[in-house]
Amino acid sequence: MSIKKVLTIAGSDTSGGAGIQADLKTFQERGVYGMSAITVIVAMEPKTLAHEVFLVELSVIKEQIDTVIKGIGIDALKTGMLPTVEIIEYVGSVLKDLKNPIVIDPVMVCKVTSGSTENLFPENVTAMKKYLLPYATVVTPNLFEAAQLAGIEKINTIEEAKEAAKKIYDLGAKNVVIKGRKFFAGDKSVDILYNGKNFEFFESEKIDTEWNHGAGCTFSASVTAEIAKGATVSQSVATTKKLIAEALKQSFKLNDYTGPLNHKAFALK
Ligand code: PXL
């Protein structure tokens, strides 16, 4: 049988909800064949919950990427947590030569590992802008990441998000999806797509769950899978928006501090 092949270049989230684990689960549920290149391993100290981030050596990252891209071939690719400027620059050099659709999830904050919304790697923002965004078919920042990429302090409204999307588009990304999620006023969860000409708005009901770990990774993985199967960017975001809402409805608690959205919900529709 023929099946579309996708690669994620991202970090391993030991707790299983985000990172490579979210990506592979999502790829499976969306009917594409997932492969991975692991950039970093994230663990948590069980009692204090302090995050522990173990970098994978650049040479090992290169071997993994070569295994997949040179050895097998892909239909689409996504990136997730890229922990150092050196790794971002290397991944950028790989993207530069690719003809396939590229989804960049500009991961900057990891709530479960930092316990806050501080930027874990501020120097990486400049590197992402320079080395990754010019090759992005789609970039999928949340509001915090969008503000960082656009160089503005904070995004509070849809109007401000539109301004940020224009700035991020100017950095080279062909499509910018800003995940407003539940954070704008009003009773809908709203994500915004800008393709350099038009804005499109994708709405779902606001689902208020504490157990939303991995939502960002899962979102970008789903968009990657849909694009690999031949959907347009707009169709891919529309499908993903629906599926994320369902996955949030079916989210669950793992322990007192983390719970993922339910990737299984992605198989439903
Ligand atoms: O959700 C962002 C994220 C991305 N990648 C890895 C993570 C996390 C958050 O936990 O662990 C590996």
Side-chain angles (χ1 to χ4, degrees):
M1 76 175 272
S2 126
I3 185 164
K4 297 298 179 188
K5 301 184 291 291
V6 294
L7 167 65
T8 172
I9 306 175
S12 166
D13 169 20
T14 303
S15 79
I20 290 275
Q21 287 78 356
D23 294 342
L24 293 179
K25 289 173 193 182
T26 303
F27 294 156
Q28 181 79 7
E29 299 298 346
R30 297 311 299 154
V32 298
Y33 181 77
M35 298 176 279
S36 63
I38 299 183
T39 56
V40 63
I41 298 174
V42 176
M44 273 172 284
E45 207 291 314
K47 290 210 177 70
T48 65
L49 316 186
H51 69 272
E52 300 175 297
V53 177
F54 302 95
L55 298 188
V56 174
E57 253 184 56
L58 187 61
S59 62
V60 180
I61 298 173
K62 285 183 183 170
E63 296 280 350
Q64 297 176 82
I65 292 176
D66 284 352
T67 303
V68 174
I69 293 185
K70 295 194 183 149
I72 298 169
I74 56 169
D75 295 293
L77 167 156
K78 71 155 275 191
T79 65
M81 188 184 279
L82 304 176
T84 66
V85 170
E86 191 189 30
I87 293 172
I88 293 171
E89 186 172 355
Y90 175 68
V91 170
S93 74
V94 172
L95 302 185
K96 195 162 166 267
D97 298 327
L98 276 186
K99 302 276 178 288
N100 311 96
I102 294 168
V103 177
I104 304 288
D105 187 0
V107 175
M108 295 176 196
V109 167
C110 189
K111 268 184 283 152
V112 80
T113 54
S114 68
S116 78
T117 51
E118 97 212 63
N119 192 343
L120 285 181
F121 312 109
E123 69 281 9
N124 290 6
V125 175
T126 315
M128 286 185 198
K129 284 158 77 166
K130 183 166 170 196
Y131 299 116
L132 302 183
L133 290 203
Y135 311 113
T137 310
V138 190
V139 62
T140 62
N142 59 27
L143 289 181
F144 174 81
E145 292 156 353
Q148 295 272 311
L149 290 172
I152 58 184
E153 203 176 318
K154 193 165 187 282
I155 298 170
N156 297 300
T157 63
I158 290 182
E159 276 316 304
E160 287 170 2
K162 285 169 74 177
E163 285 314 306
K166 285 184 185 162
K167 292 203 164 88
I168 298 168
Y169 178 85
D170 288 340
L171 296 168
K174 289 176 201 63
N175 296 275
V176 181
V177 181
I178 299 189
K179 296 168 294 182
R181 295 190 40 203
K182 61 186 179 192
F183 298 106
F184 297 126
D187 59 357
K188 295 283 187 219
S189 159
V190 181
D191 298 340
I192 296 166
L193 168 63
Y194 181 60
N195 64 6
K197 289 197 193 95
N198 310 309
F199 285 98
E200 258 188 278
F201 300 91
F202 300 86
E203 293 186 347
S204 67
E205 63 185 294
K206 277 187 179 173
I207 295 140
D208 204 9
T209 171
E210 208 183 320
W211 310 124
N212 60 11
H213 178 55
C217 305
T218 304
F219 186 101
S220 54
S222 168
V223 169
T224 310
E226 296 309 307
I227 291 177
K229 290 186 286 182
T232 64
V233 171
S234 170
Q235 289 164 341
S236 302
V237 175
T239 304
T240 298
K241 183 74 179 155
K242 273 194 225 130
L243 293 167
I244 291 279
E246 192 55 40
L248 284 169
K249 274 190 201 156
Q250 299 184 33
S251 66
F252 54 95
K253 173 178 173 171
L254 280 181
N255 61 20
D256 285 345
Y257 49 90
T258 189
L261 77 180
N262 192 340
H263 308 95
K264 193 72 200 158
F266 274 59
L268 297 178
K269 298 186 187 93

